Amino acid sequence: MQLTGLKYGRRLLDLVEFPVSPVLTEDASHDEINALIASHGGKCIVKPVFLGGVGKKGKAGLVRVATNVFDAMVAKRELFFAAHHQGNREVQACGVTFEGYIESDIEIYVSITESSEYRMPVLLLTAKGGIDVEDVPPEEKRTIVFNPVTGVKSFHINDALRELKCPSHYISSLVQHLPKLWQLYDNYGLTTLELNPIRMGKVKGRYVPFACDIKASFDQDNPAWKRLGYPEEIFSTTITQFEAEINVLRTHQGQSDVTEVNPKGTILPFIFGGGANSAATEILGDRAIISSDFGGNPPYEKMKAIADITFRHWLPQAHVVLLIGGRANNTNIFTTFRAIFDSLREHIRLNPDIFVVAGRGGPMVVEGMVCGRDVLDSLRVPYRFFGHDSSMMSVLQHAMEIDSFREPKPAAMAPKHYKAIAA
């Protein structure tokens, strides 16, 4: 669950009184836009509004600077329903914002996110904001490791900014405001909070850090985010027909989280568990048709319905059907395998030339694989099963090797024909 932009992000930052660049929505009047431009050095920024976590709008040319109402209206007309490519998907805007331009000679990047290295939240800070933080040299950014019990303190920020040689006249204000971000992160179920850029503007002769863009990710299983009062649909990008059909199956028992990754992919993965989902999605890349998490011990009926929808949409184009997950704690593997293989039996006519790869461990795994073996043998479908003692990476690698082997090969060059000449 992600949101980007100040239309909805401003409400989040207002909770801790973090300064935000003034924002008007697409409903703003000409007088309101005129006043915004006049009060911010004769400029305003016009941005499209995308639902969900959609980034890199500036690089795509979807951020405009307007110096008058006429230019602002032209930008609104062009950006209101702008299309933007996010990975392999095209998403569409649903509105615009008009944001005050903050004149500044410095841009700050700050984020709080879970660190796999330290296994706790860390704060990343640099005075070279406004660009992808990955492009900032290591010596020009600092990772602040702090105790989550006590949170981010002023001295953390002060020490990091001085090491980064941030101009001294900005440090006091940043030290005052940046620790507020930990309050948001800790109290509202966030997994990522990123402000990029923060620009330093003057208010009554004092420098103030203004957030000019925000990206936030929430833990869907943490109910704290519901206290914000956001409608759930703002966290979703354009929902495909496949995703909409699966979402209908959301219940209290078992997960049915899917994202259409690449509609031209050739590996159809049924993934169980968040960790397996992250690893498999990263390793498979564009080969994966969907990203999924079907853990949580779904009952047979639910898993069968999920498999029916998935096979109906994607089996015809797939080279490999992949069942992958870590060692389950409570998911009954026999139940989930039986549902998937029963569905495959009913849909095999859509693509008889499929290969099945499965790697799982946990309750009833032997019974589940025996069930799969019987179904696949009866269908004459080739397969390979991996047990709990197999590396997940080796299972994914094997699936990709099978996928590569089954890719259509270019037609071999026809042999030359020589005319026979009698001696």
Side-chain angles (χ1 to χ4, degrees):
M1 296 170 49
Q2 297 182 329
L3 66 81
T4 53
L6 294 178
K7 179 175 182 178
Y8 300 105
R10 177 169 187 164
R11 186 197 301 184
L12 192 63
L13 294 169
D14 284 346
L15 291 171
V16 292
E17 298 181 349
F18 194 100
V20 182
S21 173
V23 181
L24 300 175
T25 66
E26 60 273 357
D27 298 326
S29 67
H30 286 195
D31 289 341
E32 289 173 325
I33 297 172
N34 255 329
L36 181 69
I37 293 173
S39 61
H40 288 81
K43 297 178 183 178
C44 78
I45 311 297
V46 187
K47 299 178 183 178
V49 175
F50 292 96
L51 300 181
V54 178
K56 302 188 184 300
K57 299 182 287 292
K59 288 186 176 181
L62 299 179
V63 176
R64 309 287 173 81
V65 178
T67 57
N68 56 65
V69 172
F70 175 79
D71 289 344
M73 291 298 103
V74 171
K76 173 183 175 179
R77 182 173 64 250
E78 294 176 351
L79 299 177
F80 201 101
F81 292 115
H84 181 37
H85 288 278
Q86 183 80 351
N88 293 299
R89 303 177 61 183
E90 183 177 88
V91 293
Q92 189 174 60
C94 54
V96 297
T97 55
F98 305 95
E99 301 173 12
Y101 178 80
I102 306 297
E103 187 70 41
S104 176
D105 60 358
I106 189 173
E107 293 185 325
I108 306 295
Y109 169 99
V110 62
S111 69
I112 303 177
T113 188
E114 296 284 346
S115 168
S116 57
E117 178 182 358
Y118 298 101
R119 297 195 177 275
M120 64 174 65
V122 298
L123 186 145
L124 181 60
L125 181 63
T126 178
K128 303 292 184 182
I131 61 175
D132 290 340
V133 71
E134 294 81 9
D135 297 333
V136 179
E139 65 273 12
E140 295 185 355
K141 52 190 175 185
R142 291 292 181 273
T143 297
I144 301 173
V145 181
F146 56 91
N147 187 337
V149 175
T150 56
V152 178
K153 299 299 182 181
S154 297
F155 70 85
H156 290 129
I157 306 299
N158 181 71
D159 292 349
L161 290 173
R162 293 192 182 281
E163 290 176 11
L164 294 169
K165 296 181 172 55
C166 177
S168 57
H169 51 282
Y170 296 140
I171 292 179
S172 176
S173 183
L174 290 167
V175 166
Q176 177 185 351
H177 289 286
L178 292 186
K180 297 176 181 178
L181 300 178
W182 172 249
Q183 299 176 39
L184 282 181
Y185 187 94
D186 193 38
N187 292 332
Y188 293 97
L190 279 88
T191 57
T192 299
L193 178 60
E194 176 184 294
L195 302 187
N196 185 28
I198 295 172
R199 298 174 66 87
M200 304 302 295
K202 269 193 172 182
V203 177
K204 297 180 180 180
R206 298 189 62 183
Y207 285 104
V208 175
F210 287 94
C212 296
D213 205 355
I214 183 173
K215 176 182 177 181
S217 300
F218 296 84
D219 181 357
Q220 187 172 1
D221 296 324
N222 187 336
W225 69 270
K226 296 181 180 179
R227 291 186 284 137
L228 297 169
Y230 284 131
E232 288 193 43
E233 56 266 24
I234 74 168
F235 299 114
S236 302
T237 54
T238 304
I239 297 177
T240 67
Q241 178 66 31
F242 168 69
E243 292 169 343
E245 290 184 37
I246 295 291
N247 285 342
V248 172
L249 301 175
R250 287 185 180 273
T251 63
H252 69 282
Q253 186 175 5
Q255 294 168 217
S256 54
D257 299 328
V258 297
T259 302
E260 193 173 307
V261 175
N262 182 12
K264 296 181 180 180
T266 49
I267 296 179
L268 182 55
F270 289 81
I271 308 174
F272 297 83
N277 179 32
S278 299
T281 302
E282 181 177 354
I283 298 299
L284 296 176
D286 288 345
R287 295 173 183 263
I289 301 172
I290 63 173
S291 171
S292 58
D293 181 0
F294 299 130
N297 198 25
Y300 173 87
E301 294 76 13
K302 179 174 181 176
M303 196 68 238
K304 174 68 161 50
I306 289 172
D308 287 343
I309 295 170
T310 304
F311 286 140
R312 188 171 68 251
H313 279 269
W314 304 117
L315 188 61
Q317 73 187 58
H319 297 156
V320 178
V321 171
L322 173 64
L323 284 66
I324 187 73
R327 183 174 177 83
N329 294 319
N330 66 333
T331 298
N332 187 312
I333 296 177
F334 171 69
T335 298
T336 55
F337 271 37
R338 183 165 68 94
I340 293 171
F341 288 120
D342 283 353
S343 179
L344 182 61
R345 181 193 289 115
E346 296 173 8
H347 293 86
I348 193 64
R349 67 187 184 283
L350 299 176
N351 184 2
D353 188 29
I354 198 71
F355 195 103
V356 176
V357 176
R360 288 242 58 190
M364 305 286 284
V365 64
V366 174
E367 292 83 351
M369 290 186 173
V370 169
C371 172
R373 179 202 63 188
D374 293 343
V375 171
L376 296 174
D377 283 346
S378 69
L379 297 174
R380 298 183 181 276
V381 170
Y383 60 90
R384 185 168 183 186
F385 292 166
F386 295 80
H388 66 88
D389 55 346
S390 299
S391 163
M392 187 182 298
M393 295 302 107
S394 66
V395 179
L396 295 171
Q397 187 62 40
H398 185 74
M400 291 192 294
E401 289 172 355
I402 296 297
D403 180 61
S404 297
F405 178 77
R406 293 193 160 222
E407 287 179 355
K409 303 297 187 294
M413 185 178 295
K416 294 181 179 180
H417 295 280
Y418 296 92
K419 184 177 180 180
I421 302 176

